[in-house]
Structure formats: structure tokens, C-alpha cells
Amino acid sequence: MGIDKMKIMKFGGSSIENPERIKSVMEIIKKSKSENNNIAVVFSAFGGVTDELIKISKMAAVRNNDYVDLLDQLEKRHFEAVDKLIGVKKRSGVLTKIKVMINELADVFHGVYLVKELTAKTLDFILSFGENLSCTIITEALKNRDVPVNFMDSRPIIKTDESFGNARVDKTRSFQNIKNHFSNQPAIQIITGFAGSTDKDETTTLGRGGSDLTASLIAAALGASELEIWTDVNGVLSADPGKVERAFSISEMTFDEAMEMSHFGAKVIYPPTIQPALEEKIPIRIKNTFQPDFTGTVIRENQLVESNWLIKGISSMEDVSLLRIQGSGMVGIAGIAARLFGALAKEKINIILITQASSEHSICFAVKPGDAKDAKKAIEDEFSLEMQAHLVDEIIVENELSIVAIVGENMRNTPGIASKLFVALGNSEVNIVAIAQGSSELNISVVMSQKDEKKALNAIHEKFFDI
Ligand code: ADP
Ligand code: ASP
Ligand code: MG
């Protein structure tokens, strides 16, 4: 099989939540195979399994004996999938494989239970079972339907650093491994998403939602013609469908727009996914497993059709904390921002949004609530002298906030967008805590109280998309 013009498909947990859904997915794969010989397929764990594995791990770590029941349920769920998807003759062999994996998991959980400690490294090893279990079953189910497939464990292929839980990929080595692997594999590869391994061959994971990235890396390494991400909605929608009932499917987006949407919370696509595809200019298509004939959303470098709307979509990130550093000693002094962000970078704290008023009296930035405490401490350490001298005030932390962002290339150089946004928010009495606009003018972000988020999203949606 040549490695050019491949299509990489990825099915998320929501597409393989139960055996019925897996059957539909297998039909989609068979159809794609009949239309295009060259496909490879990445899978997540069955829907909810990663969350369940995290829960079981945490229970074992505090010696909550109920973890055993949850593991039994997980085993049962996978056994049932085998029963429903694989013919009687082949079944026992597959059940044995699954049993061996579950036994290994049980051993690891027992270890966690004994030492009462769950390290990030152990958790990554545990989580990788989710994708290994789903892919083992699906590979066998496809073989059972005479589809020529081969199970591919992505761990030895995707090489990463040692940031367990959110590992960064070594692209050069991973790309080489991917090319080598695919150079002599005639069957359709069924690939475990989400996992990788370090130099020492220890299992890592790429961050929640990371199967999208696995698929994108494979597409980029092989110069695929397209990356298809199959999920449970009709593509990227104009807003989170769980919060805005009237959200509709966006037919086309640029890479930049998709990056902004996903960065600010549209979890339909994992933000780092865009990068490898973008670098190789590989279009990404988001499709709905439950409505396979719907075209979905295509993400590519340039738009082919002019959009009718001023903005492309609205994304939202629920639950952020805002930290404010302010004080008379900050005005007109060079290097404050560099020290501030340097101190945060040293602690590996990810900053979601930054605003500084032109008075230079204060700088505000948003982080995930889990990082707020460390961020505050890092700043206090960095500016301890200024704080003692009252040049910098106490750091203020505000919690239970949300960020709502409007996104779109059409916003560039178009006046009146911000006022439209603020009119929508003002009319619905949403109080704005902070505002930021990227200099690329691709997004305007507004920080508000979490309780206002849904109201704000709907008001903005109505204002910008008068449908
Ligand atoms: P998968 O299991 O396929 O990886 P995810 O749950 O990670 O699926 O992502 C799909 C979900 O993302 C959708 O079900 C939807 O609830 C949510 N979502 C949030 N914002 C958006 C958006 N703007 N467009 C589409 N889906 C969104
Ligand atoms: N199973 C992993 C998760 O739930 C990876 C993924 O689904 O993309 O985060
Ligand atoms: Mg996902």
C-alpha cells in the first residue's frame, strides 16, 4: 500500500459508547474503504472509560475498596461489547485477551491501593488501557466482518517527553516511526489514540482529548489527503450545543479560526490537533457518526465560500480564575510583565488570557482554577520586595468566572463588532469583569461570572446570527 493520499479517520469516545454505535462506525469504515483504499483509523477509549479509570485510580489511592466493583463493571462493559460484536467462534480468544488486560489493570490498581499513591506516571499507564481495550475489540470485530485490519499500539510510535498527563510530542522521531510503520502495512491500521511513550519506553498520555492529536500527527507524517474527526455532533457548531439551543453547524473554517474556537473551549476539537495538520496544510473534516451523510465542517487554510456572518462562532470556557496584580510601583516601570510571566512560566502555569489597562496600573490574567494558588504564590515570591514596600498590592484572585469569546476572520478590520458584542451583553445585564482582544483581531474575549455564561452566549448568538 502506498503511503500517499491516505485518509486518516478518528472516532471519539462518544462515537463508540456502546456496541450499537460501534456497529455504525464499522459501517462507516467499510464504506470509506470501498471508496478509498487507503485509510487508517484512530480510536479513543469507549465513551466515559477514561473518566472511569481516573475515578477508580483515585479510589484505589485512598483505599476505598469500592474501586473493585467499578473495575468489575468496566470489565463487564468490555466483555459485553465482545459478546455483541464478535461471532461465537472467535469470541473466546478475544475474551481472553481482554481478561489478560483487565487482570494487569487490577494488579496496577492493587499496587496503587497498597502504596496509597497515584503518580502521574502510573495514571498515564492506567489510562492507556482505555484505548488499548477499545482498539483490541474493534480490531477483532472488524476482522470478524472480513475487513483487513491490524491493531497498532501507538505507544512505541509516538515519542514524547516526560510530562506525564500532558506529554509533548517529539515530532521528528514520531514522524519517522509512523512512516516506518506504515511502509510495510497493507492492512487498515486500527490505532490507539491518546498515548505515547518516553525515551525510556514509559507510557505517557497527550492530555485529555488527545486522540485527536494522535490522528493529526499520523495524518501529517503521512501527508494524508484529509483528516476526518468523527464525533457526536454535526461538526463545529456556532456555539456549544449544550448551552445554545440554536447553535448551527459551520460549514467552513480556517485553521486560525478553528484554533481560536478550540482554544477557548469548543472541545469538539483538541487545540494542539490543528498544528500538525496546519503545517502540512491537511484539511480537517469534522463529521457526525450519527448522521454520516451530513457534510459537517471542513477546516482548511483558506475559505472557499465567503461567510454571511460577521463572526464564525462563539466559544466559552467555563470555570476560570482571574488574578490581578496592581500597585503604584507598576506604572511606567519596564520589565514588570516580563518578570510576571517569567515567574508563571517557571511554574509551568498556562495563561489563558491577559489584559492590561493602558494606565499600566494593573495586569489581569486568567488561569484554570487548579493553577490559581500556585500562580498567586509564584507572583508573591517574584514581587516580594515590591510588596513589602507597598509598591505592589495584595494579589487579587477571583473565582467562578467564565470566558466567552467571539471568533472569526471577518472581524479583522471590521468596525462595530465590539460594540455589537457589548450591546448584546448590556441588554441582557451581564456584568463584564475583563475584556481582551488578540492583536490578530480573530477573537474578542470577555470574562464574566460563571452564572451569566449561558445567558451571555445566547444573547450574543442571537445578536450576531439573526436566524
Ligand atoms: P469525542 O468523544 O468525539 O472526542 P467530545 O466530547 O470530545 O467528542 O467533543 C464533542 C462535544 O463537544 C460535542 O458533543 C459538544 O457537546 C461539545 N462542543 C462544545 N462546543 C462545541 C462547538 N462549538 N461545536 C461542536 N461541539 C461542541
Ligand atoms: N480517551 C481520552 C480522553 O477521554 C482521549 C480522547 O478521547 O481523545 O480524554
Ligand atoms: Mg474529544
Side-chain angles (χ1 to χ4, degrees), residues 10-16 44-45 47-48 208-209 211-212 229-243 247-250 261 265-270 286-287 289 297 313-316:
K10 177 260 169 179
F11 292 89
S14 56
S15 297
I16 51 169
S44 295
R208 294 304 306 271
S211 297
D212 292 352
I229 297 194
W230 290 79
T231 183
D232 62 348
V233 286
N234 273 337
V236 182
L237 307 184
S238 52
D240 183 341
K243 292 172 183 158
F248 57 89
S249 173
I250 301 168
M261 279 290 281
K267 80 161 178 171
V268 64
I269 187 160
Y270 176 55
I286 317 283
K287 301 258 302 171
T289 308
T297 302
I314 312 162
S315 61
S316 50

Side-chain angles (χ1 to χ4, degrees), residues 290-333:
F290 309 104
Q291 233 176 289
D293 294 330
F294 187 80
T295 48
T297 302
V298 61
I299 303 169
R300 58 182 150 222
E301 200 176 19
N302 294 309
Q303 272 194 178
L304 298 187
V305 182
E306 216 20 70
S307 159
N308 293 332
W309 311 111
L310 283 174
I311 63 170
K312 207 35 101 54
I314 312 162
S315 61
S316 50
M317 193 183 268
E318 176 177 294
D319 208 10
V320 298
S321 296
L322 199 69
L323 279 84
R324 185 178 312 132
I325 170 169
Q326 62 186 30
S328 56
M330 291 174 56
V331 183
I333 312 271

Side-chain angles (χ1 to χ4, degrees), residues 218-230:
I218 291 173
L222 299 177
S225 57
E226 188 164 273
L227 165 61
E228 279 182 359
I229 297 194
W230 290 79

Side-chain angles (χ1 to χ4, degrees), residues 325-340 356 359-363 382-395:
I325 170 169
Q326 62 186 30
S328 56
M330 291 174 56
V331 183
I333 312 271
I336 295 271
R339 279 174 62 198
L340 170 65
Q356 178 181 25
S359 72
E360 294 183 49
H361 184 69
S362 74
I363 301 177
E382 177 65 36
F383 292 97
S384 62
L385 294 178
E386 285 87 346
M387 287 177 86
Q388 275 171 32
H390 302 291
L391 294 169
V392 169
D393 304 343
E394 272 297 307
I395 310 302

